[in-house]
Amino acid sequence: TLSSEARVVFRSAAGIIPAAELDALCARVTDWPRLFGLAEYQVASLAVWKSLQAAPASLERVPDAFAEGMRRLALVGDLRMQHLARRAQQSVEALSAAGVQSLLLKGAALGALRDPTFRSRPMADVDLLVRRSDVAKASEALLGAGWKVTENKVYLEMLKDAHHLPHFVDPSLPGMRLELHVALMPDDQPFGITEDSFWASARPAPA
């Protein structure tokens, strides 16, 4: 059973919680530092803050110090998501200019459909799928767009033969990452899911 702290975070991540439900959850919260830390760990501070703002009675239950901390984290998160959305758009355009087809995956795909600014669907990184034959051109295009390959030796070694390359980082804003996938899952995955079906059903993201 999830704690009230976890329920506030995960329900907020799914969209703004109805005021009565949020107030009932907040009334049972006993560990605000835990809620605060979980929201940050799950990249959900912005979502939680939006839910609290929409429910003044619930917001009044939050200790002042934590409310102010959440407000600041939400502001930073909002700016980071807008920056990540711009970098995702620039990256797709750079790949296209290099003649490389790409697919947005996971949070980036959902964000593109729901809110191209990514503000409604915060995420830690952008995931893009390209064909294996295009990896060299894709990597060159991303480097030209201002990304750098991580210098973390652990990741470089661990991801040598993985389904995505060692992640790219954005030097202009620490923590911004892009993962370039050549497959949806590791080769030994048991689900029988391949990228071919994704390519066949792909459609352009809304402008």
Side-chain angles (χ1 to χ4, degrees):
T1 302
L2 290 176
S3 66
S4 295
E5 292 81 5
R7 287 180 181 275
V8 170
V9 173
F10 292 122
R11 284 288 286 113
S12 295
I16 293 177
I17 311 174
E21 179 185 352
L22 180 60
D23 193 51
L25 286 173
C26 287
R28 297 195 294 270
V29 169
T30 59
D31 192 342
W32 287 101
R34 182 178 181 224
L35 189 154
F36 189 89
L38 183 60
E40 181 65 2
Y41 180 75
Q42 294 293 334
V43 198
S45 297
L46 178 57
V48 172
W49 181 246
K50 284 183 176 179
S51 286
L52 289 171
Q53 278 190 309
S58 299
L59 184 57
E60 288 180 3
R61 295 183 182 276
V62 184
D64 290 344
F66 290 106
E68 177 59 17
M70 186 70 72
R71 185 191 70 81
R72 293 183 181 185
L73 280 176
L75 178 60
V76 172
D78 189 51
L79 294 174
R80 288 177 69 85
M81 286 307 99
Q82 292 183 66
H83 178 81
L84 186 60
R86 286 193 297 271
R87 295 296 284 126
Q89 180 66 36
Q90 292 165 1
S91 300
V92 170
E93 291 174 353
L95 291 171
S96 180
V100 176
Q101 284 187 308
S102 62
L103 287 181
L104 292 168
L105 299 176
K106 301 193 286 188
L110 292 173
L113 292 172
R114 181 176 177 181
D115 177 4
T117 68
F118 292 178
R119 296 167 71 195
S120 298
R121 206 312 188 167
M123 63 201 77
D125 54 24
V126 167
D127 294 89
L128 287 170
L129 175 69
V130 299
R131 292 180 172 86
R132 290 182 187 273
S133 57
D134 286 331
V135 167
K137 284 197 300 182
S139 296
E140 184 177 350
L142 292 175
L143 293 173
W147 295 94
K148 287 188 174 182
V149 178
T150 180
E151 296 179 351
N152 187 306
K153 293 181 179 179
V154 174
Y155 283 123
L156 291 172
E157 180 63 28
M158 182 174 63
L159 297 172
K160 272 184 178 179
D161 300 310
H163 63 292
H164 65 76
L165 278 62
H167 58 265
F168 292 80
V169 297
D170 184 351
S172 68
L173 189 60
M176 293 286 99
R177 306 193 336 175
L178 182 148
E179 290 188 352
L180 192 64
H181 291 247
V182 295
L184 297 173
M185 296 183 181
D187 291 339
D188 58 354
Q189 54 91 8
F191 304 108
I193 300 173
T194 69
E195 56 273 16
D196 293 339
S197 61
F198 277 62
W199 286 114
S201 59
R203 57 191 175 94

